[in-house]
Amino acid sequence: MLFLKSRVIFFAGKSKDTNTDKDVIPEIQGDIFAGKSKDTNTVMNRLTDEFFMSRCIQLATLGAGYVAPNPMVGAVLVHEGRIIGEGYHRVYGQAHAEVNCVNSVKDGDRHLVPAATMYVSLEPCAHYGKTPPCANLIVSEKIREVVIGCVDTFSAVAGKGISILQNAGVTVRTGILEAECRALNSRFFTFHEQQRPYIILKWAQCQAGYIGTKDGHTVRISNQYSDRLVHRWRSEEAGILVGSRTAVMDNPRLNNRLWTGKDPLRIVIDPHHRVPKTHHLYDGSQETFFFRGDSQNHPIPEADQLYDGSQETFIFRGDSQNHPIPEADQLYDDSQATFSFNGGSLTQLMHELHERRILSVLVEGGAATLNSFIEAGLWDEARIIRGSITLPGGLPAPLLKYAKIISETPLLGDHIYIYHREQ
């Protein structure tokens, strides 16, 4: 079964960064199996379905970092074992996978479309958003059969796309590589089903389990290749979050300098206004949210001090007798949100990010911030880089709870560990 997780295609002798070149999908002509299969039993049909669905998943991953808050989706159109068209959702607001798939069919194969089977990793949409419903497109093209990886649980779809197809007489089959298709869009499903962003914790630790010195000074733990991987991760997530100590001590840029693609939204938890205006986070180079507190010692600045064209400040308001929560009509404007500091602030912060359609957040530190997310049970995935150096002492790395290791990958002296939180 072909299933590659790379964002670069390795399928038909080509290797090309598909997000920087319009001519991105390799031409696949001829019979996929070096001769048409004569075995029509159930097992062979299932293997055939999984083969083409794997191609859908492979294509879909090419949209990582470009399509949020939409899901990543891939589609292929197959006629008698031959792929005659394929596509994926490339950029948010532009054509969906099914549209790109149909549009990729060559003129000489257009007459085959009604007799073809479309494989798609996620249920075709049924609503008008930035583009028309894909289910309607499939019906208008008179495609006779559609094989779907998993149902879309987003309320605007949630079976409606399947109903449109079936009511039009299209044969629909679902559940092919369903677990893999859901895993592909874990961010999307978490966002809609749990009403919060998908949360990824990330840190680097030495062989002895320390992430830095006791006094908070930065120590290089990971190698240059791991650094590039981290910047790729940044390009794939909607937001990147740090606490005030990391922001002050490290003066990070929190951008993507070592990989192609976009910069994430910068999110800084700074309840006591500790981050100096001279730091990189105020450089105006990318959109930045500061979550701050108000107290007698740290009054809320005037509006013109809060943000410019690229910064936005949310104000944490305490819920004590000294700092009462204002009335409901005073809580929200373009720069303020109300949060409780009695243990629920992270949940409320995630709710605010959900309201602003931030699909995923990469939490990069520091230790106190990471531990706060772990203690609150607010994480879905953890990516830990174990470097080759050993510090004699220092700040202990966070300890995950209810974690299941998914993979361990060596990277030229470093080791990359991926964990998922067990539900």
Side-chain angles (χ1 to χ4, degrees), residues 169-230:
V170 178
T171 299
V172 178
R173 292 186 287 121
T174 62
I176 305 300
L177 297 185
E178 183 175 14
E180 291 87 343
C181 289
R182 278 192 60 87
L184 168 70
N185 281 305
S186 53
R187 294 157 182 78
F188 178 79
F189 288 120
T190 297
F191 182 84
H192 288 289
E193 294 172 4
Q194 299 189 37
Q195 302 293 294
R196 64 163 175 81
Y198 185 82
I199 302 169
I200 303 170
L201 310 181
K202 172 263 167 184
W203 69 84
Q205 64 185 57
C206 76
Q207 294 283 333
Y210 298 114
I211 65 172
T213 62
K214 288 183 179 180
D215 57 9
H217 286 97
T218 301
V219 177
R220 174 170 287 279
I221 294 176
S222 57
N223 63 37
Q224 61 177 322
Y225 303 102
S226 294
D227 291 346
R228 292 179 186 178
L229 177 61
V230 169

Side-chain angles (χ1 to χ4, degrees), residues 27-36 52 78-84 109:
E27 186 176 317
I28 303 174
Q29 300 296 334
D31 294 325
I32 295 299
F33 296 111
K36 299 174 184 177
F52 290 120
V78 180
H79 181 266
E80 295 184 355
R82 181 168 68 91
I83 293 179
I84 62 173
D109 287 332

Side-chain angles (χ1 to χ4, degrees), residues 70-133:
N70 283 352
M72 295 179 285
V73 183
V76 297
L77 201 56
V78 180
H79 181 266
E80 295 184 355
R82 181 168 68 91
I83 293 179
I84 62 173
E86 57 180 22
Y88 66 98
H89 186 27
R90 298 167 181 251
V91 179
Y92 174 69
Q94 296 184 14
H96 289 186
E98 297 91 331
V99 176
N100 289 329
C101 177
V102 171
N103 288 342
S104 75
V105 178
K106 292 187 174 182
D107 291 341
D109 287 332
R110 284 294 305 178
H111 68 286
L112 300 176
V113 171
T117 297
M118 176 174 283
Y119 290 80
V120 60
S121 56
L122 184 68
E123 176 185 1
C125 62
H127 61 291
Y128 284 88
K130 291 185 177 293
T131 60

Side-chain angles (χ1 to χ4, degrees), residues 129-289:
K130 291 185 177 293
T131 60
C134 292
N136 291 357
L137 169 73
I138 294 171
V139 172
S140 68
E141 292 288 340
K142 297 181 172 55
I143 296 171
R144 66 183 184 184
E145 183 176 24
V146 177
V147 181
I148 297 170
C150 64
V151 174
D152 188 345
T153 57
F154 175 42
S155 59
V157 184
K160 299 182 181 70
I162 293 174
S163 295
I164 290 174
L165 297 176
Q166 291 177 331
N167 291 339
V170 178
T171 299
V172 178
R173 292 186 287 121
T174 62
I176 305 300
L177 297 185
E178 183 175 14
E180 291 87 343
C181 289
R182 278 192 60 87
L184 168 70
N185 281 305
S186 53
R187 294 157 182 78
F188 178 79
F189 288 120
T190 297
F191 182 84
H192 288 289
E193 294 172 4
Q194 299 189 37
Q195 302 293 294
R196 64 163 175 81
Y198 185 82
I199 302 169
I200 303 170
L201 310 181
K202 172 263 167 184
W203 69 84
Q205 64 185 57
C206 76
Q207 294 283 333
Y210 298 114
I211 65 172
T213 62
K214 288 183 179 180
D215 57 9
H217 286 97
T218 301
V219 177
R220 174 170 287 279
I221 294 176
S222 57
N223 63 37
Q224 61 177 322
Y225 303 102
S226 294
D227 291 346
R228 292 179 186 178
L229 177 61
V230 169
H231 281 238
R232 173 181 172 175
W233 292 345
R234 290 179 178 183
S235 76
E236 294 174 342
E237 307 308 332
I240 180 171
L241 183 149
V242 296
S244 59
R245 181 178 176 85
T246 295
V248 171
M249 298 293 293
D250 294 355
N251 189 17
R253 289 181 172 84
L254 302 184
N255 59 8
N256 168 29
R257 304 182 301 280
L258 305 178
W259 198 261
T260 60
K262 66 175 183 61
D263 292 323
L265 167 73
R266 299 187 295 201
I267 305 162
V268 187
I269 300 177
D270 185 24
H272 302 299
H273 302 226
R274 295 180 57 210
V275 182
K277 296 289 182 69
T278 55
H279 273 36
H280 294 307
L281 293 171
Y282 283 98
D283 62 13
S285 63
Q286 66 201 81
E287 191 174 14
T288 306
F289 286 0

